[in-house]
């Protein structure tokens, strides 16, 4: 069974930066798509960024220019570099990946941005 483990969340002031990591139990290049989602209190989970196996990335309009998704050249980790954080970015961030048609989720990591 595939496991995804997020880390790197925490508390930061507005304008600060955090780097989230998602470590998979298998080679990250095996996945068709890897994505970061977030869920703020009282809101639905939303897609933040995604990366295909070929390396193409997409970002939600709300994070374009501030967040960057990347991965290790070999191995099993993807990253979400978050710069110029805003209080509206406060949420639990989840890593999500698809292997064939099966989807997997991590347990989430909390990001809190204070004004």
């Amino acid at each position: 069974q595939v496991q995804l483990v997020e880390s790197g969340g925490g508390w930061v002031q507005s304008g600060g930066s955090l780097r989230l990591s998602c470590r998979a139990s298998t080679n990250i290049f095996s996945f068709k798509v890897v994505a970061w989602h977030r869920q703020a209190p009282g809101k639905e989970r939303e897609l933040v960024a995604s990366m295909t196996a070929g390396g193409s990335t997409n970002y939600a309009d709300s994070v374009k220019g501030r967040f960057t998704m990347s991965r290790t050249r070999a191995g099993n980790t993807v990253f979400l570099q978050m710069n110029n954080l805003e209080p509206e970015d406060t949420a639990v961030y989840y890593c999500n990946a698809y292997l064939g048609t099966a989807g997997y989720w991590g347990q989430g990591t909390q990001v809190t941005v204070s004004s």
Side-chain angles (χ1 to χ4, degrees):
Q1 175 146 357
V2 175
Q3 292 184 326
L4 303 173
V5 180
E6 303 97 333
S7 61
W11 177 88
V12 66
Q13 288 189 320
S14 182
S17 298
L18 285 173
R19 187 194 198 202
L20 305 184
S21 298
C22 171
R23 184 180 178 91
S25 59
T26 188
N27 192 302
I28 205 73
F29 289 88
S30 301
F31 297 114
K32 180 170 61 176
V33 175
V34 183
W36 287 96
H37 299 249
R38 67 186 180 187
Q39 187 166 20
K43 295 187 177 181
E44 293 187 355
R45 191 171 296 189
E46 63 173 348
L47 176 65
V48 174
S50 64
M51 178 181 283
T52 66
S56 297
T57 54
N58 277 292
Y59 300 93
D61 288 343
S62 59
V63 306
K64 280 181 181 176
R66 300 188 299 122
F67 290 12
T68 303
M69 189 171 176
S70 62
R71 62 188 177 188
T72 49
R73 296 187 67 179
N76 57 359
T77 305
V78 294
F79 306 97
L80 185 67
Q81 177 67 42
M82 306 186 296
N83 298 328
N84 195 21
L85 283 161
E86 305 167 350
E88 292 73 25
D89 296 316
T90 294
V92 178
Y93 285 70
Y94 298 90
C95 182
N96 160 241
Y98 285 90
L99 188 62
T101 58
Y104 301 90
W105 291 86
Q107 82 290 349
T109 185
Q110 175 71 46
V111 171
T112 303
V113 185
S114 64
S115 58

